[in-house]
């Protein structure tokens, strides 16, 4: 990719993030104006980060650097989840189903392998003793020699540091 092409792709990526930010702002404004901000649960997340030559690579399918696997995860339910609380403990997106079931009031569910994150905002600062999550990446079959996932699976344990 030419330097100009890369810059254009990078600018487009930044523009798309700004667009999503605007749309989330519009969502919260609409919820508030309709009086739905008192009884609505909002969850915002992403599936992966993007490499923009941060580690000498482009795309997202070839490594497990923190900027690729650390994604936004925002839960919002006024009166239930404390506003502005940030959780430092790494967690897995696999916790989404149990957490959402917990937020809608179904605390009896036992079908999800990863527990609800509610404990993290109900008892902030208390370590629940969960193991650190693992991120995995299979070799990308369409570009088998792309570093560093050129020889097979990659796995990493995601710890706070």
């Amino acid at each position: 990719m030419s330097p100009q092409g890369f810059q254009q792709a990078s600018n487009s990526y930044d523009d798309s993030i700004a667009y999503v930010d605007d749309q989330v702002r519009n969502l919260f404004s609409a919820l508030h104006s309709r009086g739905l901000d008192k009884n609505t649960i909002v969850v915002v997340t992403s599936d992966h980060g993007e490499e923009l030559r941060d580690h000498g690579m482009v795309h997202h399918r070839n490594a497990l650097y923190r900027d690729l696997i650390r994604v936004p995860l925002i839960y919002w339910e006024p009166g239930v989840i404390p506003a502005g609380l940030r959780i430092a403990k790494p967690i897995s997106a696999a916790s989404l189903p149990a957490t959402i079931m917990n937020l809608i009031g179904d605390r009896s569910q036992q079908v999800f392998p990863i527990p609800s994150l509610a404990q993290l905002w109900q008892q902030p600062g208390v370590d629940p003793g969960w193991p650190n999550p693992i991120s995995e990446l299979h070799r990308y079959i369409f570009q088998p020699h792309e570093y560093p996932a050129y020889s097979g699976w990659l796995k990493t344990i995601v710890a706070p540091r």
Side-chain angles (χ1 to χ4, degrees):
M1 179 182 297
S2 73
Q4 290 172 323
F6 176 78
Q7 188 60 53
Q8 184 178 2
S10 181
N11 291 345
S12 294
Y13 185 76
D14 291 345
D15 291 346
S16 68
I17 292 171
Y19 174 79
V20 170
D21 285 348
D22 288 343
Q23 296 310 306
V24 169
R25 187 177 305 107
N26 292 342
L27 169 67
F28 281 103
S29 177
L31 288 172
H32 180 71
S33 69
R34 295 176 183 178
L36 298 173
D37 57 338
K38 308 276 186 283
N39 66 349
T40 300
I41 298 167
V42 177
V43 180
V44 178
T45 192
S46 174
D47 61 343
H48 57 76
E50 197 67 42
E51 282 274 21
L52 297 172
R53 295 188 179 155
D54 301 304
H55 302 278
M57 295 178 283
V58 180
H59 300 300
H60 57 264
R61 60 184 175 254
N62 50 8
L64 292 174
Y65 291 110
R66 187 171 294 271
D67 43 351
L68 293 173
I69 61 175
R70 186 173 183 227
V71 297
L73 178 57
I74 301 168
Y75 286 95
W76 181 82
E77 186 180 14
V80 176
I81 302 171
L85 179 66
R86 295 181 64 98
I87 306 294
K89 178 169 185 52
I91 56 93
S92 170
S95 65
L96 281 163
T99 305
I100 291 170
M101 293 299 288
N102 184 273
L103 287 170
I104 64 172
D106 184 353
R107 289 168 180 80
S108 65
Q109 61 77 29
Q110 299 295 318
V111 297
F112 303 113
I114 305 292
S116 167
L117 299 179
Q119 180 179 350
L120 296 175
W121 62 75
Q122 291 168 347
Q123 300 173 331
V126 175
D127 184 353
W130 302 334
N132 289 323
I134 296 174
S135 280
E136 299 180 75
L137 177 70
H138 188 269
R139 180 177 55 89
Y140 188 61
I141 62 173
F142 300 108
Q143 294 178 351
H145 301 295
E146 191 169 347
Y147 174 83
Y150 57 84
S151 62
W153 287 83
L154 294 176
K155 292 184 181 186
T156 187
I157 296 173
V158 183
R161 295 184 305 136

Short mmCIF file of all heavy atoms in Angstrom, two decimals, residues 72-102:
data_model
loop_
_atom_site.label_atom_id
_atom_site.label_comp_id
_atom_site.label_asym_id
_atom_site.label_seq_id
_atom_site.Cartn_x
_atom_site.Cartn_y
_atom_site.Cartn_z
N PRO A 72 -13.41 -1.83 23.53
CA PRO A 72 -14.34 -1.19 24.47
C PRO A 72 -15.43 -2.17 24.91
O PRO A 72 -15.89 -2.99 24.12
CB PRO A 72 -14.94 -0.04 23.66
CG PRO A 72 -14.70 -0.39 22.24
CD PRO A 72 -13.50 -1.26 22.20
N LEU A 73 -15.79 -2.08 26.15
CA LEU A 73 -16.95 -2.82 26.68
C LEU A 73 -17.60 -1.91 27.71
O LEU A 73 -17.03 -1.67 28.78
CB LEU A 73 -16.55 -4.15 27.30
CG LEU A 73 -17.69 -4.96 27.91
CD1 LEU A 73 -18.79 -5.24 26.88
CD2 LEU A 73 -17.18 -6.25 28.50
N ILE A 74 -18.74 -1.38 27.35
CA ILE A 74 -19.43 -0.42 28.20
C ILE A 74 -20.82 -0.97 28.50
O ILE A 74 -21.57 -1.32 27.58
CB ILE A 74 -19.56 0.96 27.51
CG1 ILE A 74 -18.16 1.51 27.19
CG2 ILE A 74 -20.38 1.92 28.38
CD1 ILE A 74 -18.18 2.70 26.26
N TYR A 75 -21.12 -1.08 29.79
CA TYR A 75 -22.47 -1.42 30.23
C TYR A 75 -23.04 -0.16 30.85
O TYR A 75 -22.39 0.52 31.62
CB TYR A 75 -22.44 -2.52 31.29
CG TYR A 75 -22.12 -3.89 30.76
CD1 TYR A 75 -20.83 -4.38 30.77
CD2 TYR A 75 -23.12 -4.71 30.25
CE1 TYR A 75 -20.53 -5.64 30.29
CE2 TYR A 75 -22.84 -5.97 29.77
CZ TYR A 75 -21.54 -6.44 29.80
OH TYR A 75 -21.26 -7.68 29.33
N TRP A 76 -24.30 0.11 30.54
CA TRP A 76 -24.96 1.31 31.06
C TRP A 76 -26.38 0.95 31.47
O TRP A 76 -27.17 0.47 30.65
CB TRP A 76 -24.95 2.39 29.99
CG TRP A 76 -25.58 3.69 30.39
CD1 TRP A 76 -25.01 4.70 31.10
CD2 TRP A 76 -26.90 4.13 30.07
NE1 TRP A 76 -25.88 5.74 31.23
CE2 TRP A 76 -27.06 5.41 30.62
CE3 TRP A 76 -27.97 3.57 29.38
CZ2 TRP A 76 -28.24 6.13 30.50
CZ3 TRP A 76 -29.14 4.27 29.25
CH2 TRP A 76 -29.26 5.55 29.82
N GLU A 77 -26.67 1.12 32.73
CA GLU A 77 -28.03 1.00 33.24
C GLU A 77 -28.11 1.88 34.48
O GLU A 77 -27.64 1.50 35.56
CB GLU A 77 -28.40 -0.44 33.57
CG GLU A 77 -29.87 -0.55 33.95
CD GLU A 77 -30.33 -1.96 34.29
OE1 GLU A 77 -29.49 -2.84 34.49
OE2 GLU A 77 -31.54 -2.16 34.37
N PRO A 78 -28.67 3.09 34.31
CA PRO A 78 -28.74 4.03 35.43
C PRO A 78 -29.42 3.41 36.66
O PRO A 78 -30.42 2.71 36.55
CB PRO A 78 -29.58 5.18 34.89
CG PRO A 78 -29.47 5.07 33.41
CD PRO A 78 -29.33 3.61 33.12
N GLY A 79 -28.84 3.68 37.82
CA GLY A 79 -29.39 3.17 39.06
C GLY A 79 -28.97 1.75 39.37
O GLY A 79 -29.23 1.25 40.47
N VAL A 80 -28.35 1.07 38.43
CA VAL A 80 -27.90 -0.30 38.65
C VAL A 80 -26.38 -0.39 38.56
O VAL A 80 -25.73 -0.95 39.41
CB VAL A 80 -28.56 -1.28 37.63
CG1 VAL A 80 -28.02 -2.68 37.79
CG2 VAL A 80 -30.08 -1.26 37.78
N ILE A 81 -25.84 0.18 37.50
CA ILE A 81 -24.39 0.17 37.29
C ILE A 81 -23.87 1.57 37.63
O ILE A 81 -24.35 2.56 37.07
CB ILE A 81 -24.05 -0.18 35.82
CG1 ILE A 81 -24.65 -1.55 35.47
CG2 ILE A 81 -22.54 -0.17 35.61
CD1 ILE A 81 -24.55 -1.89 34.00
N PRO A 82 -22.91 1.67 38.54
CA PRO A 82 -22.39 2.99 38.91
C PRO A 82 -21.80 3.74 37.70
O PRO A 82 -21.00 3.18 36.95
CB PRO A 82 -21.29 2.67 39.92
CG PRO A 82 -21.60 1.30 40.42
CD PRO A 82 -22.27 0.59 39.29
N ALA A 83 -22.20 4.98 37.53
CA ALA A 83 -21.70 5.80 36.42
C ALA A 83 -20.21 6.05 36.60
O ALA A 83 -19.74 6.33 37.69
CB ALA A 83 -22.46 7.12 36.37
N GLY A 84 -19.48 5.95 35.49
CA GLY A 84 -18.07 6.28 35.49
C GLY A 84 -17.14 5.23 36.07
O GLY A 84 -15.93 5.43 36.11
N LEU A 85 -17.67 4.12 36.55
CA LEU A 85 -16.83 3.08 37.12
C LEU A 85 -16.02 2.40 36.02
O LEU A 85 -16.56 2.01 34.99
CB LEU A 85 -17.69 2.03 37.83
CG LEU A 85 -16.95 0.85 38.45
CD1 LEU A 85 -16.06 1.31 39.60
CD2 LEU A 85 -17.94 -0.20 38.92
N ARG A 86 -14.72 2.29 36.23
CA ARG A 86 -13.82 1.60 35.29
C ARG A 86 -13.27 0.36 35.99
O ARG A 86 -12.78 0.47 37.11
CB ARG A 86 -12.69 2.51 34.85
CG ARG A 86 -13.18 3.70 34.04
CD ARG A 86 -12.03 4.57 33.60
NE ARG A 86 -11.13 3.87 32.70
CZ ARG A 86 -11.17 3.98 31.37
NH1 ARG A 86 -12.05 4.76 30.81
NH2 ARG A 86 -10.31 3.31 30.62
N ILE A 87 -13.35 -0.75 35.30
CA ILE A 87 -12.85 -2.01 35.83
C ILE A 87 -11.49 -2.29 35.20
O ILE A 87 -11.37 -2.34 33.97
CB ILE A 87 -13.82 -3.18 35.51
CG1 ILE A 87 -15.25 -2.87 35.98
CG2 ILE A 87 -13.29 -4.49 36.05
CD1 ILE A 87 -15.43 -2.76 37.45
N ALA A 88 -10.47 -2.47 35.99
CA ALA A 88 -9.13 -2.71 35.46
C ALA A 88 -8.88 -4.17 35.13
O ALA A 88 -8.03 -4.49 34.32
CB ALA A 88 -8.08 -2.23 36.47
N LYS A 89 -9.65 -5.06 35.73
CA LYS A 89 -9.43 -6.49 35.52
C LYS A 89 -9.77 -6.88 34.08
O LYS A 89 -10.85 -6.57 33.59
CB LYS A 89 -10.30 -7.30 36.47
CG LYS A 89 -10.17 -8.80 36.26
CD LYS A 89 -10.82 -9.57 37.36
CE LYS A 89 -10.58 -11.06 37.21
NZ LYS A 89 -9.20 -11.45 37.04
N PRO A 90 -8.86 -7.55 33.39
CA PRO A 90 -9.19 -8.03 32.04
C PRO A 90 -10.32 -9.07 32.12
O PRO A 90 -10.33 -9.91 33.01
CB PRO A 90 -7.90 -8.69 31.55
CG PRO A 90 -6.82 -8.14 32.41
CD PRO A 90 -7.46 -7.85 33.73
N ILE A 91 -11.24 -8.96 31.22
CA ILE A 91 -12.36 -9.90 31.18
C ILE A 91 -12.52 -10.39 29.75
O ILE A 91 -11.89 -9.90 28.83
CB ILE A 91 -13.68 -9.27 31.71
CG1 ILE A 91 -14.05 -7.98 30.95
CG2 ILE A 91 -13.54 -8.93 33.18
CD1 ILE A 91 -14.95 -8.21 29.81
N SER A 92 -13.41 -11.32 29.56
CA SER A 92 -13.66 -11.90 28.25
C SER A 92 -15.02 -11.45 27.74
O SER A 92 -15.98 -11.34 28.51
CB SER A 92 -13.63 -13.42 28.34
OG SER A 92 -14.09 -14.00 27.15
N ALA A 93 -15.12 -11.25 26.44
CA ALA A 93 -16.43 -10.94 25.83
C ALA A 93 -17.39 -12.10 26.00
O ALA A 93 -18.60 -11.93 25.87
CB ALA A 93 -16.25 -10.60 24.36
N ALA A 94 -16.88 -13.27 26.35
CA ALA A 94 -17.75 -14.42 26.60
C ALA A 94 -18.63 -14.19 27.82
O ALA A 94 -19.59 -14.94 28.05
CB ALA A 94 -16.90 -15.68 26.78
N SER A 95 -18.34 -13.15 28.59
CA SER A 95 -19.18 -12.82 29.75
C SER A 95 -20.45 -12.05 29.36
O SER A 95 -21.32 -11.85 30.20
CB SER A 95 -18.38 -11.98 30.74
OG SER A 95 -18.04 -10.73 30.15
N LEU A 96 -20.55 -11.62 28.12
CA LEU A 96 -21.71 -10.83 27.68
C LEU A 96 -23.05 -11.51 27.95
O LEU A 96 -23.94 -10.89 28.55
CB LEU A 96 -21.60 -10.49 26.19
CG LEU A 96 -20.68 -9.33 25.85
CD1 LEU A 96 -20.32 -9.35 24.37
CD2 LEU A 96 -21.32 -8.02 26.21
N PRO A 97 -23.28 -12.76 27.54
CA PRO A 97 -24.62 -13.34 27.75
C PRO A 97 -25.03 -13.42 29.21
O PRO A 97 -26.14 -13.02 29.57
CB PRO A 97 -24.50 -14.74 27.14
CG PRO A 97 -23.31 -14.72 26.26
CD PRO A 97 -22.41 -13.66 26.79
N ALA A 98 -24.13 -13.91 30.08
CA ALA A 98 -24.48 -14.02 31.50
C ALA A 98 -24.73 -12.65 32.12
O ALA A 98 -25.64 -12.48 32.93
CB ALA A 98 -23.38 -14.77 32.25
N THR A 99 -23.94 -11.66 31.72
CA THR A 99 -24.10 -10.32 32.27
C THR A 99 -25.43 -9.71 31.83
O THR A 99 -26.15 -9.11 32.65
CB THR A 99 -22.92 -9.42 31.85
OG1 THR A 99 -21.70 -10.04 32.26
CG2 THR A 99 -23.02 -8.04 32.49
N ILE A 100 -25.77 -9.85 30.58
CA ILE A 100 -27.04 -9.30 30.09
C ILE A 100 -28.22 -10.02 30.77
O ILE A 100 -29.18 -9.36 31.19
CB ILE A 100 -27.11 -9.38 28.56
CG1 ILE A 100 -26.09 -8.40 27.96
CG2 ILE A 100 -28.53 -9.09 28.06
CD1 ILE A 100 -25.88 -8.54 26.47
N MET A 101 -28.15 -11.34 30.90
CA MET A 101 -29.23 -12.06 31.59
C MET A 101 -29.36 -11.57 33.02
O MET A 101 -30.46 -11.38 33.53
CB MET A 101 -28.97 -13.57 31.55
CG MET A 101 -29.04 -14.17 30.16
SD MET A 101 -30.66 -13.99 29.39
CE MET A 101 -31.60 -15.17 30.34
N ASN A 102 -28.24 -11.32 33.67
CA ASN A 102 -28.25 -10.81 35.03
C ASN A 102 -28.91 -9.43 35.08
O ASN A 102 -29.72 -9.15 35.96
CB ASN A 102 -26.82 -10.76 35.56
CG ASN A 102 -26.74 -10.34 36.99
OD1 ASN A 102 -26.69 -9.15 37.29
ND2 ASN A 102 -26.72 -11.32 37.89
#
